[in-house]
mmCIF file of all heavy atoms in Angstrom:
data_model
loop_
_atom_site.group_PDB
_atom_site.id
_atom_site.type_symbol
_atom_site.label_atom_id
_atom_site.label_comp_id
_atom_site.label_asym_id
_atom_site.label_seq_id
_atom_site.Cartn_x
_atom_site.Cartn_y
_atom_site.Cartn_z
ATOM 1 N N ILE R 84 -8.923 2.747 0.238
ATOM 2 C CA ILE R 84 -10.053 1.991 -0.305
ATOM 3 C C ILE R 84 -9.482 0.598 -0.547
ATOM 4 O O ILE R 84 -8.892 0.348 -1.599
ATOM 5 C CB ILE R 84 -10.590 2.618 -1.603
ATOM 6 C CG1 ILE R 84 -11.066 4.050 -1.302
ATOM 7 C CG2 ILE R 84 -11.724 1.773 -2.178
ATOM 8 C CD1 ILE R 84 -11.479 4.822 -2.532
ATOM 9 N N GLN R 93 -20.486 3.897 1.537
ATOM 10 C CA GLN R 93 -19.138 4.433 1.772
ATOM 11 C C GLN R 93 -18.868 5.603 0.826
ATOM 12 O O GLN R 93 -18.293 6.612 1.221
ATOM 13 C CB GLN R 93 -18.091 3.326 1.602
ATOM 14 C CG GLN R 93 -18.138 2.304 2.746
ATOM 15 C CD GLN R 93 -17.236 1.112 2.505
ATOM 16 O OE1 GLN R 93 -16.986 0.724 1.357
ATOM 17 N NE2 GLN R 93 -16.747 0.513 3.581
ATOM 18 N N ILE R 100 -17.790 13.972 3.280
ATOM 19 C CA ILE R 100 -16.516 14.511 3.778
ATOM 20 C C ILE R 100 -16.010 15.614 2.844
ATOM 21 O O ILE R 100 -15.547 16.666 3.286
ATOM 22 C CB ILE R 100 -15.480 13.381 3.944
ATOM 23 C CG1 ILE R 100 -15.876 12.496 5.135
ATOM 24 C CG2 ILE R 100 -14.069 13.944 4.149
ATOM 25 C CD1 ILE R 100 -15.084 11.203 5.238
ATOM 26 N N ARG R 114 -3.227 4.289 -6.353
ATOM 27 C CA ARG R 114 -3.255 3.136 -5.454
ATOM 28 C C ARG R 114 -4.684 2.805 -5.055
ATOM 29 O O ARG R 114 -4.928 2.271 -3.984
ATOM 30 C CB ARG R 114 -2.395 3.360 -4.212
ATOM 31 C CG ARG R 114 -0.909 3.256 -4.534
ATOM 32 C CD ARG R 114 -0.119 2.705 -3.381
ATOM 33 N NE ARG R 114 -0.358 1.296 -3.133
ATOM 34 C CZ ARG R 114 -0.033 0.311 -3.954
ATOM 35 N NH1 ARG R 114 0.550 0.551 -5.085
ATOM 36 N NH2 ARG R 114 -0.286 -0.934 -3.626
ATOM 37 N N LEU R 124 -5.956 20.176 10.143
ATOM 38 C CA LEU R 124 -5.347 19.194 11.050
ATOM 39 C C LEU R 124 -6.286 18.870 12.206
ATOM 40 O O LEU R 124 -6.504 17.707 12.543
ATOM 41 C CB LEU R 124 -4.011 19.736 11.590
ATOM 42 C CG LEU R 124 -3.319 18.880 12.659
ATOM 43 C CD1 LEU R 124 -2.944 17.514 12.108
ATOM 44 C CD2 LEU R 124 -2.066 19.576 13.203
ATOM 45 N N THR R 144 -1.805 4.381 4.811
ATOM 46 C CA THR R 144 -1.859 4.857 3.430
ATOM 47 C C THR R 144 -0.623 5.681 3.100
ATOM 48 O O THR R 144 -0.474 6.180 1.986
ATOM 49 C CB THR R 144 -3.114 5.704 3.162
ATOM 50 O OG1 THR R 144 -3.161 6.775 4.104
ATOM 51 C CG2 THR R 144 -4.373 4.883 3.282
ATOM 52 N N THR R 153 -3.367 -3.484 -3.632
ATOM 53 C CA THR R 153 -4.190 -3.150 -4.798
ATOM 54 C C THR R 153 -4.449 -4.391 -5.644
ATOM 55 O O THR R 153 -3.721 -5.383 -5.564
ATOM 56 C CB THR R 153 -3.499 -2.079 -5.666
ATOM 57 O OG1 THR R 153 -2.167 -2.493 -5.954
ATOM 58 C CG2 THR R 153 -3.467 -0.741 -4.951
ATOM 59 N N ASP R 163 -12.307 -13.231 -17.241
ATOM 60 C CA ASP R 163 -10.999 -13.858 -17.499
ATOM 61 C C ASP R 163 -10.188 -14.158 -16.247
ATOM 62 O O ASP R 163 -8.967 -14.191 -16.291
ATOM 63 C CB ASP R 163 -10.176 -12.990 -18.473
ATOM 64 C CG ASP R 163 -9.671 -11.691 -17.829
ATOM 65 O OD1 ASP R 163 -10.277 -11.255 -16.832
ATOM 66 O OD2 ASP R 163 -8.679 -11.136 -18.328
ATOM 67 N N GLU R 164 -10.838 -14.395 -15.079
ATOM 68 C CA GLU R 164 -10.012 -14.629 -13.888
ATOM 69 C C GLU R 164 -10.076 -16.064 -13.378
ATOM 70 O O GLU R 164 -11.069 -16.767 -13.531
ATOM 71 C CB GLU R 164 -10.352 -13.643 -12.776
ATOM 72 C CG GLU R 164 -11.617 -13.905 -12.023
ATOM 73 C CD GLU R 164 -11.938 -12.814 -10.993
ATOM 74 O OE1 GLU R 164 -11.159 -11.860 -10.834
ATOM 75 O OE2 GLU R 164 -12.979 -12.943 -10.353
ATOM 76 N N ARG R 176 -4.451 -7.454 4.064
ATOM 77 C CA ARG R 176 -4.755 -6.190 4.755
ATOM 78 C C ARG R 176 -4.735 -6.406 6.281
ATOM 79 O O ARG R 176 -4.119 -5.647 7.016
ATOM 80 C CB ARG R 176 -6.131 -5.647 4.350
ATOM 81 C CG ARG R 176 -6.475 -4.310 5.018
ATOM 82 C CD ARG R 176 -7.919 -3.877 4.812
ATOM 83 N NE ARG R 176 -8.863 -4.587 5.651
ATOM 84 C CZ ARG R 176 -9.123 -4.278 6.934
ATOM 85 N NH1 ARG R 176 -8.522 -3.277 7.525
ATOM 86 N NH2 ARG R 176 -9.995 -4.999 7.616
ATOM 87 N N ASP R 222 -6.098 -26.738 -6.741
ATOM 88 C CA ASP R 222 -5.859 -25.900 -5.566
ATOM 89 C C ASP R 222 -5.433 -24.497 -5.990
ATOM 90 O O ASP R 222 -4.745 -24.322 -6.995
ATOM 91 C CB ASP R 222 -4.744 -26.500 -4.692
ATOM 92 C CG ASP R 222 -5.113 -27.879 -4.194
ATOM 93 O OD1 ASP R 222 -6.306 -28.085 -3.896
ATOM 94 O OD2 ASP R 222 -4.217 -28.748 -4.114
ATOM 95 N N ARG R 235 13.203 6.610 -9.045
ATOM 96 C CA ARG R 235 14.353 6.942 -9.894
ATOM 97 C C ARG R 235 15.098 5.723 -10.385
ATOM 98 O O ARG R 235 15.970 5.839 -11.247
ATOM 99 C CB ARG R 235 15.282 7.943 -9.200
ATOM 100 C CG ARG R 235 15.875 7.539 -7.901
ATOM 101 C CD ARG R 235 16.469 8.747 -7.208
ATOM 102 N NE ARG R 235 15.417 9.672 -6.802
ATOM 103 C CZ ARG R 235 15.590 10.969 -6.540
ATOM 104 N NH1 ARG R 235 16.765 11.505 -6.656
ATOM 105 N NH2 ARG R 235 14.590 11.706 -6.150
ATOM 106 N N GLU R 250 -2.378 -21.644 1.960
ATOM 107 C CA GLU R 250 -2.163 -21.781 3.407
ATOM 108 C C GLU R 250 -0.769 -21.327 3.848
ATOM 109 O O GLU R 250 -0.518 -21.194 5.037
ATOM 110 C CB GLU R 250 -2.447 -23.219 3.888
ATOM 111 C CG GLU R 250 -1.675 -24.310 3.163
ATOM 112 C CD GLU R 250 -2.408 -24.840 1.926
ATOM 113 O OE1 GLU R 250 -3.232 -24.104 1.358
ATOM 114 O OE2 GLU R 250 -2.131 -25.997 1.535
ATOM 115 N N ARG R 261 10.730 -9.871 6.558
ATOM 116 C CA ARG R 261 11.779 -9.904 7.583
ATOM 117 C C ARG R 261 13.162 -9.717 6.957
ATOM 118 O O ARG R 261 13.961 -8.914 7.435
ATOM 119 C CB ARG R 261 11.718 -11.218 8.383
ATOM 120 C CG ARG R 261 12.747 -11.284 9.512
ATOM 121 C CD ARG R 261 12.428 -12.375 10.532
ATOM 122 N NE ARG R 261 11.175 -12.084 11.202
ATOM 123 C CZ ARG R 261 10.149 -12.917 11.310
ATOM 124 N NH1 ARG R 261 10.223 -14.135 10.802
ATOM 125 N NH2 ARG R 261 9.055 -12.558 11.923
ATOM 126 N N ARG R 269 19.155 1.583 4.793
ATOM 127 C CA ARG R 269 18.536 2.672 5.549
ATOM 128 C C ARG R 269 19.392 3.933 5.525
ATOM 129 O O ARG R 269 19.068 4.904 6.171
ATOM 130 C CB ARG R 269 18.303 2.233 7.005
ATOM 131 C CG ARG R 269 17.201 1.190 7.141
ATOM 132 C CD ARG R 269 17.104 0.630 8.538
ATOM 133 N NE ARG R 269 16.144 -0.467 8.609
ATOM 134 C CZ ARG R 269 14.864 -0.326 8.952
ATOM 135 N NH1 ARG R 269 14.375 0.846 9.278
ATOM 136 N NH2 ARG R 269 14.062 -1.379 8.979
ATOM 137 N N ASN R 341 -26.433 6.862 -32.018
ATOM 138 C CA ASN R 341 -25.639 7.800 -31.208
ATOM 139 C C ASN R 341 -24.193 7.338 -31.144
ATOM 140 O O ASN R 341 -23.869 6.349 -30.468
ATOM 141 C CB ASN R 341 -26.256 7.891 -29.803
ATOM 142 C CG ASN R 341 -25.571 8.953 -28.950
ATOM 143 O OD1 ASN R 341 -24.369 9.158 -29.063
ATOM 144 N ND2 ASN R 341 -26.351 9.614 -28.119
ATOM 145 N N GLY R 359 -25.229 -11.427 -20.200
ATOM 146 C CA GLY R 359 -26.212 -10.355 -20.048
ATOM 147 C C GLY R 359 -25.755 -9.214 -19.158
ATOM 148 O O GLY R 359 -26.489 -8.251 -18.965
ATOM 149 N N GLY R 371 -10.169 18.197 -20.875
ATOM 150 C CA GLY R 371 -9.977 19.496 -20.241
ATOM 151 C C GLY R 371 -10.106 19.456 -18.723
ATOM 152 O O GLY R 371 -9.896 20.458 -18.056
ATOM 153 N N ILE R 373 -9.561 17.450 -14.693
ATOM 154 C CA ILE R 373 -8.449 16.976 -13.866
ATOM 155 C C ILE R 373 -8.574 15.471 -13.669
ATOM 156 O O ILE R 373 -9.559 15.004 -13.107
ATOM 157 C CB ILE R 373 -8.465 17.712 -12.506
ATOM 158 C CG1 ILE R 373 -8.259 19.219 -12.727
ATOM 159 C CG2 ILE R 373 -7.402 17.130 -11.570
ATOM 160 C CD1 ILE R 373 -8.442 20.049 -11.472
ATOM 161 N N LEU R 415 -28.012 -0.277 -19.725
ATOM 162 C CA LEU R 415 -26.948 0.643 -20.143
ATOM 163 C C LEU R 415 -27.442 1.980 -20.697
ATOM 164 O O LEU R 415 -26.886 3.024 -20.359
ATOM 165 C CB LEU R 415 -26.007 -0.051 -21.140
ATOM 166 C CG LEU R 415 -25.144 -1.161 -20.522
ATOM 167 C CD1 LEU R 415 -24.332 -1.872 -21.613
ATOM 168 C CD2 LEU R 415 -24.215 -0.603 -19.446
ATOM 169 N N ALA R 440 -2.395 10.944 -14.238
ATOM 170 C CA ALA R 440 -1.495 12.059 -13.915
ATOM 171 C C ALA R 440 -1.414 12.202 -12.402
ATOM 172 O O ALA R 440 -2.412 12.053 -11.704
ATOM 173 C CB ALA R 440 -1.993 13.356 -14.542
ATOM 174 N N ASN R 451 8.398 18.654 -9.304
ATOM 175 C CA ASN R 451 9.223 19.631 -10.009
ATOM 176 C C ASN R 451 8.394 20.440 -10.996
ATOM 177 O O ASN R 451 8.731 21.573 -11.320
ATOM 178 C CB ASN R 451 10.336 18.924 -10.788
ATOM 179 C CG ASN R 451 11.386 18.356 -9.866
ATOM 180 O OD1 ASN R 451 11.693 18.939 -8.836
ATOM 181 N ND2 ASN R 451 11.919 17.200 -10.213
ATOM 182 N N SER R 460 -4.019 19.847 -21.574
ATOM 183 C CA SER R 460 -3.642 20.264 -22.931
ATOM 184 C C SER R 460 -3.741 19.102 -23.907
ATOM 185 O O SER R 460 -4.186 19.273 -25.050
ATOM 186 C CB SER R 460 -2.204 20.783 -22.951
ATOM 187 O OG SER R 460 -2.075 21.903 -22.133
ATOM 188 N N GLY R 497 5.064 7.865 -21.801
ATOM 189 C CA GLY R 497 5.268 8.408 -20.465
ATOM 190 C C GLY R 497 5.779 9.836 -20.558
ATOM 191 O O GLY R 497 6.504 10.176 -21.496
ATOM 192 N N TYR R 509 9.774 18.749 -19.858
ATOM 193 C CA TYR R 509 9.103 17.449 -19.875
ATOM 194 C C TYR R 509 9.844 16.458 -20.758
ATOM 195 O O TYR R 509 10.074 16.723 -21.945
ATOM 196 C CB TYR R 509 7.653 17.621 -20.346
ATOM 197 C CG TYR R 509 6.849 18.457 -19.382
ATOM 198 C CD1 TYR R 509 6.761 19.845 -19.528
ATOM 199 C CD2 TYR R 509 6.215 17.874 -18.287
ATOM 200 C CE1 TYR R 509 6.049 20.621 -18.623
ATOM 201 C CE2 TYR R 509 5.501 18.637 -17.374
ATOM 202 C CZ TYR R 509 5.427 20.013 -17.548
ATOM 203 O OH TYR R 509 4.734 20.771 -16.642
ATOM 204 N N GLY R 528 14.386 11.415 -26.121
ATOM 205 C CA GLY R 528 15.384 12.434 -26.477
ATOM 206 C C GLY R 528 15.318 13.575 -25.477
ATOM 207 O O GLY R 528 14.777 13.414 -24.392
#
Side-chain angles (χ1 to χ4, degrees):
Chain R
I84 300 174
Q93 289 173 331
I100 289 169
R114 286 212 71 66
L124 174 62
T144 55
T153 52
D163 72 337
E164 76 184 358
R176 181 190 77 82
D222 299 323
R235 59 194 68 201
E250 55 271 25
R261 183 163 296 127
R269 290 172 186 266
N341 186 325
I373 298 172
L415 291 175
N451 289 325
S460 298
Y509 296 91

